Amino acid sequence: MPYVTFNENEEQRLVRRLQEGDESAAREFYALYANSLAGVCSRYIADEDDMKDVFQNAFLQIFSHIGDFEYRKEGSLEAWATKVMVNESLRFLKTRKQHELLKPYFDVADEGTDDLSISDIPPDVIQQMLSRLPTGYRTVLNLYVFEGKSHQEIASLLGIKKDSSASQLHKAKQILAKMLRKYNDNNTPRR
């Protein structure tokens, strides 16, 4: 998801207003960031009802802890809110024990992914593919690809071994490659 384009002074003013408890600032923050934060949440939480609950809880956390936020530079507000959304998603997955990372989902043939192009695939289709991944695979993939976490950091966050994180990422990529090939095969005009 692209970051909101924001002038640094405007962002600083919004943070100050939020920290002062200005309700119009809370509405403005929601209008600016709700879509991108919902996208982050939906990468982790596949069930729509669960996603709505996690999304709402994350916003409660954001507004409850905005006083702890320290503005650093342009974009830091959205980065902080994204981190809160990720953490709330992970907390949900841990409490629901849905991140069965050590359980093999199914064997995936080791296929290359170098020849795959996703440029012609609509983003909503890619999002649907991600949501169909087993929760553990999806969680590791999100943390590695979108949050830039190392396998050591993922292992620490999820309480698994570093090698398990790497294995889960590999399997997630293989499943996605299979989905992408199937999509491309079904949507490529026949000659």
mmCIF file of all heavy atoms in Angstrom, residues 92-109:
data_model
loop_
_atom_site.group_PDB
_atom_site.id
_atom_site.type_symbol
_atom_site.label_atom_id
_atom_site.label_comp_id
_atom_site.label_asym_id
_atom_site.label_seq_id
_atom_site.Cartn_x
_atom_site.Cartn_y
_atom_site.Cartn_z
ATOM 1 N N PHE A 92 -3.529 -11.248 17.868
ATOM 2 C CA PHE A 92 -4.747 -12.003 17.589
ATOM 3 C C PHE A 92 -4.416 -13.434 17.154
ATOM 4 O O PHE A 92 -4.998 -14.392 17.642
ATOM 5 C CB PHE A 92 -5.570 -11.315 16.496
ATOM 6 C CG PHE A 92 -6.723 -12.139 16.013
ATOM 7 C CD1 PHE A 92 -7.912 -12.163 16.718
ATOM 8 C CD2 PHE A 92 -6.616 -12.905 14.860
ATOM 9 C CE1 PHE A 92 -8.979 -12.938 16.280
ATOM 10 C CE2 PHE A 92 -7.670 -13.678 14.417
ATOM 11 C CZ PHE A 92 -8.859 -13.699 15.130
ATOM 12 N N LEU A 93 -3.466 -13.555 16.233
ATOM 13 C CA LEU A 93 -3.106 -14.883 15.737
ATOM 14 C C LEU A 93 -2.565 -15.766 16.853
ATOM 15 O O LEU A 93 -2.862 -16.961 16.909
ATOM 16 C CB LEU A 93 -2.078 -14.773 14.606
ATOM 17 C CG LEU A 93 -2.602 -14.145 13.311
ATOM 18 C CD1 LEU A 93 -1.467 -13.924 12.327
ATOM 19 C CD2 LEU A 93 -3.701 -14.990 12.697
ATOM 20 N N LYS A 94 -1.785 -15.174 17.750
ATOM 21 C CA LYS A 94 -1.243 -15.959 18.860
ATOM 22 C C LYS A 94 -2.341 -16.407 19.811
ATOM 23 O O LYS A 94 -2.340 -17.549 20.267
ATOM 24 C CB LYS A 94 -0.199 -15.145 19.626
ATOM 25 C CG LYS A 94 1.106 -15.015 18.890
ATOM 26 C CD LYS A 94 2.085 -14.169 19.678
ATOM 27 C CE LYS A 94 3.366 -13.983 18.902
ATOM 28 N NZ LYS A 94 4.323 -13.138 19.633
ATOM 29 N N THR A 95 -3.284 -15.523 20.115
ATOM 30 C CA THR A 95 -4.338 -15.894 21.057
ATOM 31 C C THR A 95 -5.300 -16.898 20.443
ATOM 32 O O THR A 95 -5.865 -17.726 21.152
ATOM 33 C CB THR A 95 -5.144 -14.673 21.554
ATOM 34 O OG1 THR A 95 -5.756 -14.025 20.442
ATOM 35 C CG2 THR A 95 -4.251 -13.717 22.304
ATOM 36 N N ARG A 96 -5.488 -16.831 19.149
ATOM 37 C CA ARG A 96 -6.379 -17.773 18.475
ATOM 38 C C ARG A 96 -5.649 -19.042 18.060
ATOM 39 O O ARG A 96 -6.243 -19.957 17.531
ATOM 40 C CB ARG A 96 -6.998 -17.123 17.228
ATOM 41 C CG ARG A 96 -7.937 -15.983 17.526
ATOM 42 C CD ARG A 96 -9.239 -16.414 18.171
ATOM 43 N NE ARG A 96 -10.070 -17.151 17.272
ATOM 44 C CZ ARG A 96 -11.044 -16.631 16.547
ATOM 45 N NH1 ARG A 96 -11.325 -15.363 16.643
ATOM 46 N NH2 ARG A 96 -11.744 -17.389 15.732
ATOM 47 N N LYS A 97 -4.333 -19.059 18.291
ATOM 48 C CA LYS A 97 -3.483 -20.198 17.929
ATOM 49 C C LYS A 97 -3.689 -20.611 16.470
ATOM 50 O O LYS A 97 -3.691 -21.773 16.123
ATOM 51 C CB LYS A 97 -3.737 -21.381 18.865
ATOM 52 C CG LYS A 97 -3.405 -21.058 20.302
ATOM 53 C CD LYS A 97 -3.459 -22.290 21.152
ATOM 54 C CE LYS A 97 -3.319 -22.023 22.603
ATOM 55 N NZ LYS A 97 -2.233 -21.295 23.089
ATOM 56 N N GLN A 98 -3.875 -19.604 15.614
ATOM 57 C CA GLN A 98 -4.085 -19.869 14.197
ATOM 58 C C GLN A 98 -2.776 -19.915 13.423
ATOM 59 O O GLN A 98 -2.777 -20.203 12.250
ATOM 60 C CB GLN A 98 -4.972 -18.789 13.579
ATOM 61 C CG GLN A 98 -6.392 -18.871 14.019
ATOM 62 C CD GLN A 98 -7.239 -17.864 13.274
ATOM 63 O OE1 GLN A 98 -6.733 -16.983 12.605
ATOM 64 N NE2 GLN A 98 -8.532 -18.013 13.374
ATOM 65 N N HIS A 99 -1.686 -19.592 14.058
ATOM 66 C CA HIS A 99 -0.428 -19.584 13.301
ATOM 67 C C HIS A 99 0.319 -20.897 13.543
ATOM 68 O O HIS A 99 1.403 -20.922 14.064
ATOM 69 C CB HIS A 99 0.420 -18.358 13.640
ATOM 70 C CG HIS A 99 0.983 -18.360 15.019
ATOM 71 N ND1 HIS A 99 0.207 -18.245 16.146
ATOM 72 C CD2 HIS A 99 2.253 -18.485 15.440
ATOM 73 C CE1 HIS A 99 0.978 -18.296 17.197
ATOM 74 N NE2 HIS A 99 2.228 -18.438 16.808
ATOM 75 N N GLU A 100 -0.285 -21.963 13.142
ATOM 76 C CA GLU A 100 0.300 -23.294 13.324
ATOM 77 C C GLU A 100 1.490 -23.436 12.390
ATOM 78 O O GLU A 100 1.457 -24.126 11.390
ATOM 79 C CB GLU A 100 -0.756 -24.362 13.066
ATOM 80 C CG GLU A 100 -1.928 -24.246 14.019
ATOM 81 C CD GLU A 100 -3.068 -25.174 13.658
ATOM 82 O OE1 GLU A 100 -2.985 -25.866 12.628
ATOM 83 O OE2 GLU A 100 -4.042 -25.183 14.400
ATOM 84 N N LEU A 101 2.566 -22.775 12.761
ATOM 85 C CA LEU A 101 3.709 -22.668 11.862
ATOM 86 C C LEU A 101 4.481 -23.962 11.686
ATOM 87 O O LEU A 101 5.157 -24.148 10.699
ATOM 88 C CB LEU A 101 4.646 -21.579 12.376
ATOM 89 C CG LEU A 101 4.031 -20.188 12.356
ATOM 90 C CD1 LEU A 101 4.923 -19.207 13.077
ATOM 91 C CD2 LEU A 101 3.797 -19.752 10.938
ATOM 92 N N LEU A 102 4.400 -24.836 12.641
ATOM 93 C CA LEU A 102 5.202 -26.041 12.549
ATOM 94 C C LEU A 102 4.449 -27.208 11.938
ATOM 95 O O LEU A 102 5.007 -28.254 11.693
ATOM 96 C CB LEU A 102 5.729 -26.413 13.949
ATOM 97 C CG LEU A 102 6.583 -25.318 14.574
ATOM 98 C CD1 LEU A 102 7.020 -25.731 15.970
ATOM 99 C CD2 LEU A 102 7.785 -25.000 13.715
ATOM 100 N N LYS A 103 3.163 -27.018 11.683
ATOM 101 C CA LYS A 103 2.370 -28.062 11.047
ATOM 102 C C LYS A 103 2.508 -27.940 9.538
ATOM 103 O O LYS A 103 2.220 -26.894 8.978
ATOM 104 C CB LYS A 103 0.885 -27.891 11.391
ATOM 105 C CG LYS A 103 0.410 -28.686 12.544
ATOM 106 C CD LYS A 103 -1.094 -28.552 12.586
ATOM 107 C CE LYS A 103 -1.667 -29.399 13.669
ATOM 108 N NZ LYS A 103 -3.108 -29.210 13.772
ATOM 109 N N PRO A 104 2.926 -28.998 8.870
ATOM 110 C CA PRO A 104 2.985 -28.889 7.414
ATOM 111 C C PRO A 104 1.579 -28.819 6.842
ATOM 112 O O PRO A 104 0.694 -29.553 7.252
ATOM 113 C CB PRO A 104 3.693 -30.176 6.982
ATOM 114 C CG PRO A 104 3.615 -31.093 8.144
ATOM 115 C CD PRO A 104 3.378 -30.273 9.369
ATOM 116 N N TYR A 105 1.362 -27.895 5.941
ATOM 117 C CA TYR A 105 0.044 -27.727 5.317
ATOM 118 C C TYR A 105 -0.139 -28.776 4.224
ATOM 119 O O TYR A 105 -1.054 -29.537 4.232
ATOM 120 C CB TYR A 105 -0.056 -26.310 4.763
ATOM 121 C CG TYR A 105 -1.321 -26.031 4.024
ATOM 122 C CD1 TYR A 105 -2.545 -26.078 4.671
ATOM 123 C CD2 TYR A 105 -1.295 -25.721 2.675
ATOM 124 C CE1 TYR A 105 -3.710 -25.796 3.990
ATOM 125 C CE2 TYR A 105 -2.450 -25.442 1.996
ATOM 126 C CZ TYR A 105 -3.648 -25.482 2.655
ATOM 127 O OH TYR A 105 -4.802 -25.203 1.972
ATOM 128 N N PHE A 106 0.744 -28.780 3.292
ATOM 129 C CA PHE A 106 0.811 -29.824 2.276
ATOM 130 C C PHE A 106 2.140 -29.685 1.572
ATOM 131 O O PHE A 106 2.777 -28.648 1.641
ATOM 132 C CB PHE A 106 -0.366 -29.782 1.286
ATOM 133 C CG PHE A 106 -0.598 -28.451 0.630
ATOM 134 C CD1 PHE A 106 0.162 -28.048 -0.443
ATOM 135 C CD2 PHE A 106 -1.591 -27.604 1.090
ATOM 136 C CE1 PHE A 106 -0.059 -26.826 -1.054
ATOM 137 C CE2 PHE A 106 -1.814 -26.381 0.482
ATOM 138 C CZ PHE A 106 -1.051 -26.001 -0.588
ATOM 139 N N ASP A 107 2.561 -30.752 0.948
ATOM 140 C CA ASP A 107 3.839 -30.697 0.245
ATOM 141 C C ASP A 107 3.696 -29.870 -1.022
ATOM 142 O O ASP A 107 2.710 -29.970 -1.743
ATOM 143 C CB ASP A 107 4.311 -32.105 -0.131
ATOM 144 C CG ASP A 107 4.795 -32.858 1.091
ATOM 145 O OD1 ASP A 107 5.280 -32.205 2.038
ATOM 146 O OD2 ASP A 107 4.669 -34.095 1.115
ATOM 147 N N VAL A 108 4.679 -29.078 -1.259
ATOM 148 C CA VAL A 108 4.693 -28.227 -2.433
ATOM 149 C C VAL A 108 5.932 -28.570 -3.231
ATOM 150 O O VAL A 108 7.034 -28.601 -2.695
ATOM 151 C CB VAL A 108 4.732 -26.737 -2.016
ATOM 152 C CG1 VAL A 108 4.731 -25.846 -3.230
ATOM 153 C CG2 VAL A 108 3.580 -26.406 -1.093
ATOM 154 N N ALA A 109 5.738 -28.817 -4.503
ATOM 155 C CA ALA A 109 6.881 -29.110 -5.360
ATOM 156 C C ALA A 109 7.779 -27.888 -5.417
ATOM 157 O O ALA A 109 7.311 -26.758 -5.446
ATOM 158 C CB ALA A 109 6.394 -29.472 -6.766
#
